[in-house]
Amino acid sequence: MTATHHPPPRLPWWQRLHGALMPDYNRAAATFWWTVVGLGAVVLVANLASLRGWTLQEALQIVAGAGFAILLGLFPVRLPGTKQSFVAGDIFIFLLLLMQGPVAAALAAGIEGMVGSWRSSRRWTSRLFSPAVAVLSMNLAGRLPDGLAPHLGHLDHPAALMAAMLLFATANALFSAQMIAGVPRLKRGEAFFQWAALLRDFRWVGLAYLGSAVMASLLYLSYRQSGSGVLLVVLPVLVLLIVALHYYFLQQEARLAMQGSVDRAAAQAEQHLRELQASEQRFHGAFTHAAIGMALVDFDGRLLQANPALRNLLGLGEGDALPLHFQDVLDSADRDALDAQLHAGSPATAGGAGSFQLELRCRHADGRTVWVLAHVGQFTEPLAGAPCLILQLQDISARRQAEAGLHKLAFHDSLTGLPNRRQFLDSLADAVERHRSDASASYAVMYLDFDRFKLVNDSLGHNAGDSLLVQMARRVQENLRPSDVVARLGGDEFAVLLPRLQAEHDALLLAERLVEAMREPFEVAGQALYAGASIGITFSRFGYTSPDEVLRDADTAMYQAKALGKGRYALFEPGLHAAVTQRVQLESDLRRALADGALTLAYQPQIELATGRAGGFEALVRWQHPQQGSIRPEAFIPMAEETGLITVLSDFVLHSACAQLVRWQHMDPAWAELTISVNLSGHDITSRGVVGRVSDALTTAGLAPRHLVLELTEDAVMTRLDAAAANLQALRTLGVHLSVDDFGTGYSSLARLARLPIDSLKIVRSFVHDLAEGNHEAAVVQAVLTLGGALGKQVVAEGIETLDQADQLRRMGCGFGQGFHLGRPLSSVEATAWLVAQAASQQPLH
Ligand code: C2E
Ligand code: MG
Ligand code: MG
């Protein structure tokens, strides 16, 4: 591939020179430049030619004039504060004009113009143009007044001379100004001649020229008068004067410049002050009209100023005095927190001075609490200077209220309003921690369980249960100190934390008080209910590490209290765990035994004391545990009641006992009138279905109701009298006999007993056991017998272990007896044999 190279067309030499010298000149400007420079050169040559006939003195004068002019060109006099300066060198050129005529002056002007433009510009265009203009201008203007005289210096009259010089200076100034300004105008493509611009340019050039012309005229006149000596003296002095003026004005200029910067600094300071004032005003505006409460306080919290929003927040009117310190409106609980932060932020504290944020409670004038988010920052008032704090307070009561509501939901039991398990565990965790770090910070925890709550809930419904729980909670609370914490853990279980326990004895006293308080009846749905509570207590000395351990042990102790007979408290001890574990095991064993039919019944004869004839049997449940052997009913009946197994157990006893009696009745007509006594638990007699269950057992067995006696313990009947009354009445209507068991242990008022629909009383065996002629028990038993007789109730004595007891009771008029002396509890087979043997003997047993 070959590249064809076209060389640019070769320009003529003068165009290339033009491109190098004046690349920015257009044709008009260039033409003008060449014309001026060319004309200047021609005139210069003509001038030099005319010089040929001159003397040395004349030539020296030209050189001196140009020299002085060049010298003074080095010292331009600039008027301070303006950008204009004038060069005094023209005086000498003008003087030369007067002394030697325009040619000499033009030569000097050309030299001066050349030197001056050499110094001021590096471009040849300028270096050539200025001297050309000077030569042309001087030739033209210098010859202008020639009409007045062959040459100016020959004018005789000083005034005429002066006028001619002024005319010359004006023309010179106008001409050179127009020439000089012409080039850039043509370059820009503007009109060459502009009158207004010419006048403007003339102002300075012209004034300088006019001044120079006057000076030159004066010098020339004195020269004409006094000869050249004057010039020799005056000219150097004039030069010195102008040089001095140059420096003086320079200095003046520098001073002015300094003054200017001082003035500017002052102006800046004033501006700054104005801005500060504006900012101060803006701050006050913002402060006054801010929607959030704002206050200025010192580092002690002293209130310096408060805005209307803050007054509003605190419920203070326009005229109300502000509190002295901000702390005065704070809730006392929050004061320390604020003080600590204020101190940390005070300028006296090294490294303080940070801003901070706190949530605080303020007291509104109407007494309520206002939650505020306080933002505190350091603030230096621009004009006052001393640092203070600016408080910004935002009302966050609504948020706090919502949070409190949520907290209450999360940490409180909605029914009783008490803290819930979560909250309790939190408080307990604190106490555990405190004790771990300080062994003297003791605490106690109580676990409360209400003994008959299930009963109420099942028999009277949930509303009654709820009402009972609320009352229980209130009653527990009434007995506590303010620092104690009571919580509902769930169901009818409550827990109490006694933090800061002085002595364990205090906890025992409280437990006693609670047990007593719970024994008092509760009023639910118009009925008096007896609940009773079992309480387990444990203490910090066991060295707990978690709140769960504490609760577990208190719960264990509570089970112990129940096992020991309810309505009491028990203290935790390390051995209890095993007992409770056993108990839990036993529960599941009982459940299995009931399902497997592993329970049996024993039948204990009931004897008519007067005749020795068998009246019937009491059915007593028996449990032969595969590992533990026979277990006493007292050990598992309460457990069955608690777990709800009692219903199944009672049904089993009812059905078995009725069936057994029917078998006996069918065996021998003589046994047709035997009765069977069955023990019902308190739970049974208050439960709704009990009447149906009893009649079901009777129907299934085919037993007439009058042969069935239901034994209810005095305690069970009396504490649930209201709840049980309807059932008792219905059972009575059914035809079943009712008997109060263990009579004498309870607190029955005899009046109430009279109103009960019962048929018989069983005197508690402890009375019988202690019975001796004429003693207190004998008196009580006698009273019961008399009362029973009066009320038309049968009286049965149980626990007769000796012949003496049997005799004594018979003599006292007791109808029936039961006890080891009369007959032990027997299996059904043994009981049948006993019946047979008894019938055979036909003899009353003594
Ligand atoms: P209870 O109804 O008063 O039963 C009489 C208890 O006294 C029986 O104890 C019996 O064995 C015992 N006993 C009889 N004669 C004498 C005596 O001469 N001296 C002594 N010291 N005791 C005598 P057991 O069978 O251990 O029953 C204890 C309690 O358990 C019963 O007292 C009763 O309240 C309850 N119980 C027993 N069986 C049942 C049952 O099937 N259902 C219910 N709900 N409770 C039952
Ligand atoms: Mg009984
Ligand atoms: Mg009894």
Side-chain angles (χ1 to χ4, degrees):
M1 205 165 122
T2 49
T4 22
H5 179 64
H6 296 288
R10 232 177 140 65
L11 295 166
W13 66 269
W14 54 270
Q15 277 195 357
R16 273 184 284 137
L17 181 66
H18 168 84
L21 287 179
M22 42 182 82
D24 50 339
Y25 280 51
N26 54 22
R27 178 176 286 272
T31 310
F32 177 62
W33 187 89
W34 282 110
T35 311
V36 171
V37 171
L39 268 174
V42 170
V43 170
L44 182 66
V45 170
N47 284 171
L48 284 171
S50 70
L51 197 64
R52 219 187 285 146
W54 288 3
T55 62
L56 176 69
Q57 192 196 351
E58 285 167 343
L60 277 176
Q61 280 185 7
I62 292 175
V63 173
F68 275 120
I70 291 164
L71 179 69
L72 287 184
L74 298 174
F75 300 97
V77 176
R78 190 158 111 185
L79 299 176
T82 71
K83 286 206 166 88
Q84 306 295 336
S85 55
F86 73 87
V87 181
D90 292 328
I91 296 172
F92 302 97
I93 291 168
F94 293 177
L95 186 57
L96 205 56
L97 174 70
L98 285 168
M99 289 169 71
Q100 298 291 342
V103 174
L107 288 175
I111 296 169
E112 193 270 339
M114 175 86 82
V115 173
S117 61
W118 262 78
R119 280 180 47 243
S120 63
S121 172
R122 312 181 85 193
R123 290 191 64 175
W124 282 96
T125 43
S126 304
R127 286 173 173 185
L128 294 176
F129 193 73
S130 295
V133 168
V135 169
L136 286 177
S137 170
M138 191 54 75
N139 273 279
L140 276 175
R143 288 173 209 284
L144 188 71
D146 269 11
L148 304 170
H151 84 65
L152 286 174
H154 299 163
L155 285 170
D156 288 334
H157 200 280
L161 181 99
M162 190 76 80
M165 274 306 278
L166 290 176
L167 178 65
F168 152 76
T170 305
N172 193 6
L174 283 174
F175 183 78
S176 27
Q178 176 59 39
M179 291 290 118
I180 301 285
V183 180
R185 273 192 210 135
L186 288 173
K187 277 203 244 175
R188 290 195 298 266
E190 292 173 8
F192 174 69
F193 185 81
Q194 293 179 23
W195 183 241
L198 183 65
L199 274 185
R200 194 179 59 231
D201 294 345
F202 173 76
R203 258 210 329 250
W204 293 106
V205 185
L207 273 179
Y209 277 28
L210 289 173
S212 298
V214 170
M215 277 306 287
S217 305
L218 291 175
L219 283 172
Y220 178 70
L221 287 171
S222 22
Y223 157 75
R224 224 166 47 178
Q225 204 121 56
S226 318
S228 58
V230 170
L231 288 185
L232 286 178
V233 174
V234 170
L235 287 184
V237 171
L238 189 66
V239 170
L240 284 176
L241 188 76
I242 286 173
V243 170
L245 207 60
H246 164 83
Y247 283 113
Y248 170 74
F249 278 141
L250 266 188
Q251 221 173 35
Q252 198 73 0
E253 175 84 11
R255 197 171 307 135
L256 256 185
M258 196 150 77
Q259 183 64 44
S261 65
V262 169
D263 286 352
R264 267 195 306 282
Q268 268 173 6
E270 200 177 329
Q271 169 74 8
H272 186 60
L273 189 68
R274 271 201 302 275
E275 279 170 9
L276 271 184
Q277 277 168 338
S279 120
E280 163 94 343
Q281 266 169 6
R282 276 197 298 276
F283 169 76
H284 274 291
F287 186 82
T288 311
H289 300 296
I292 63 170
M294 291 171 95
L296 297 180
V297 299
D298 68 9
F299 287 88
D300 291 332
R302 201 194 318 273
L303 269 172
L304 307 173
Q305 210 178 341
N307 75 345
L310 182 72
R311 288 178 163 276
N312 210 16
L313 190 82
L314 299 175
L316 297 173
E318 277 280 313
D320 292 341
L322 280 175
L324 200 58
H325 284 85
F326 176 64
Q327 286 91 323
D328 298 346
V329 297
L330 276 190
D331 191 295
S332 52
D334 290 342
R335 267 175 222 164
D336 289 349
L338 180 71
D339 280 341
Q341 288 277 19
L342 283 180
H343 177 72
S346 92
T349 316
S355 61
F356 60 90
Q357 206 161 289
L358 274 180
E359 295 196 355
L360 301 167
R361 277 158 290 185
C362 293
R363 272 196 318 275
H364 190 275
D366 67 10
R368 74 191 149 93
T369 298
V370 181
W371 269 102
V372 297
L373 173 65
H375 184 96
V376 185
Q378 272 221 32
F379 175 72
T380 305
E381 236 190 320
L383 295 180
C388 58
L389 293 172
I390 183 158
L391 281 182
Q392 298 178 66
L393 303 177
Q394 201 179 342
D395 187 343
I396 52 163
S397 303
R399 194 196 86 205
R400 291 297 295 221
Q401 238 165 34
E403 280 172 3
L406 284 176
H407 186 273
K408 204 163 167 68
L409 277 185
F411 290 99
H412 285 80
D413 166 49
S414 52
L415 177 65
T416 59
L418 292 182
N420 62 9
R421 177 183 286 269
R422 223 166 119 186
Q423 169 81 71
F424 187 79
L425 287 175
D426 276 1
S427 308
L428 185 51
D430 288 347
V432 169
E433 268 319 301
R434 257 203 314 279
H435 180 72
R436 276 158 68 86
S437 55
D438 171 14
S440 69
S442 302
Y443 61 89
V445 167
M446 297 185 183
Y447 204 109
L448 279 85
D449 185 277
F450 294 95
D451 295 331
R452 297 183 190 93
F453 173 74
K454 262 199 203 72
L455 216 76
V456 173
N457 216 31
D458 293 351
S459 55
L460 295 181
H462 292 308
N463 285 346
D466 285 353
S467 157
L468 182 59
L469 277 174
V470 171
Q471 292 186 52
M472 286 166 168
R474 200 176 308 143
R475 212 175 273 185
V476 173
Q477 256 176 324
E478 279 165 6
N479 284 282
L480 298 182
R481 292 168 307 181
S483 60
D484 300 339
V485 180
V486 57
R488 183 178 170 214
L489 303 179
D492 62 340
E493 293 177 352
F494 291 71
V496 179
L497 167 66
L498 313 179
R500 300 186 188 84
L501 190 68
Q502 300 293 327
E504 292 190 356
H505 180 68
D506 295 345
L508 307 191
L509 286 181
L510 172 63
E512 254 163 43
R513 215 163 55 230
L514 285 176
V515 167
E516 279 308 314
M518 292 307 147
R519 238 180 228 147
E520 294 299 310
F522 292 96
E523 168 104 15
V524 175
Q527 301 187 18
L529 294 182
Y530 293 82
S534 300
I535 301 178
I537 310 174
T538 191
F539 298 103
S540 46
R541 68 175 144 92
F542 292 112
Y544 297 107
T545 55
S546 83
D548 293 301
E549 290 171 2
V550 186
L551 265 192
R552 182 201 61 203
D553 285 357
D555 188 21
T556 300
M558 187 275 290
Y559 265 98
Q560 180 65 5
K562 273 201 192 301
L564 293 174
K566 298 183 173 178
R568 59 173 71 208
Y569 66 84
L571 305 183
F572 174 77
E573 46 180 279
L576 272 186
H577 279 304
V580 168
T581 316
Q582 258 178 24
R583 209 180 139 80
V584 172
Q585 180 62 43
L586 204 62
E587 254 175 48
S588 81
D589 290 349
L590 176 62
R591 198 179 298 271
R592 181 144 358 100
L594 272 168
D596 297 351
L599 298 185
T600 55
L601 292 184
Y603 299 92
Q604 184 172 32
Q606 294 180 330
I607 308 292
E608 191 178 28
L609 288 177
T611 62
R613 185 179 58 85
F617 293 93
E618 178 178 6
L620 299 162
V621 70
R622 291 292 175 261
W623 181 18
Q624 189 69 27
H625 190 279
Q627 285 87 36
Q628 299 178 30
S630 95
I631 299 180
R632 295 181 307 118
E634 276 108 334
F636 65 85
I637 294 293
M639 193 171 76
E641 282 180 332
E642 273 161 34
T643 54
L645 285 174
I646 191 69
T647 311
V648 190
L649 189 145
S650 297
D651 283 352
F652 159 76
V653 177
L654 272 171
H655 282 261
S656 308
C658 291
Q660 183 59 49
L661 182 60
V662 169
R663 275 197 289 279
W664 281 325
Q665 287 177 334
H666 290 171
M667 274 185 214
D668 192 323
W671 303 338
E673 286 310 308
L674 289 176
T675 59
I676 187 81
S677 296
V678 169
N679 297 282
L680 283 189
S681 81
H683 193 273
D684 289 320
I685 45 165
T686 48
S687 79
R688 286 162 196 230
V690 70
V691 181
R693 284 161 53 208
V694 168
S695 83
D696 190 43
L698 290 170
T699 320
T700 309
L703 183 68
R706 61 191 171 84
H707 297 294
L708 177 63
V709 180
L710 296 177
E711 292 190 7
L712 317 162
T713 59
E714 181 188 9
D715 175 42
V717 174
M718 290 307 171
T719 52
R720 298 169 175 83
L721 205 50
D722 297 317
N727 279 339
L728 295 180
Q729 198 56 59
L731 289 169
R732 191 69 173 319
T733 311
L734 191 64
V736 175
H737 281 247
L738 300 177
S739 173
V740 175
D741 205 349
D742 298 341
F743 187 79
T745 48
Y747 348 84
S748 328
S749 80
L750 296 177
R752 282 169 89 191
L753 188 67
R755 277 190 271 120
L756 276 179
I758 51 162
D759 306 282
S760 53
L761 304 172
K762 283 183 86 174
I763 297 173
V764 67
R765 56 181 177 268
S766 60
F767 284 3
V768 174
H769 184 267
D770 297 335
L771 205 59
E773 210 71 58
N775 71 353
H776 174 69
E777 279 73 16
V780 174
V781 171
Q782 188 60 67
V784 172
L785 287 169
T786 310
L787 174 84
L791 294 173
K793 323 262 182 203
Q794 276 285 5
V795 176
V796 183
E798 64 172 16
I800 301 174
E801 294 180 350
T802 62
L803 178 62
D804 284 349
Q805 289 165 350
D807 279 342
Q808 191 181 351
L809 285 163
R810 191 184 62 232
R811 284 199 301 275
M812 290 168 84
C814 180
F816 286 83
Q818 185 182 342
F820 295 162
H821 172 67
L822 305 174
R824 290 193 168 259
L826 307 166
S827 68
S828 56
V829 177
E830 290 169 336
T832 310
W834 181 88
L835 275 175
V836 172
Q838 211 247 358
S841 77
Q842 292 286 326
Q843 291 294 316
L845 294 169
H846 291 301

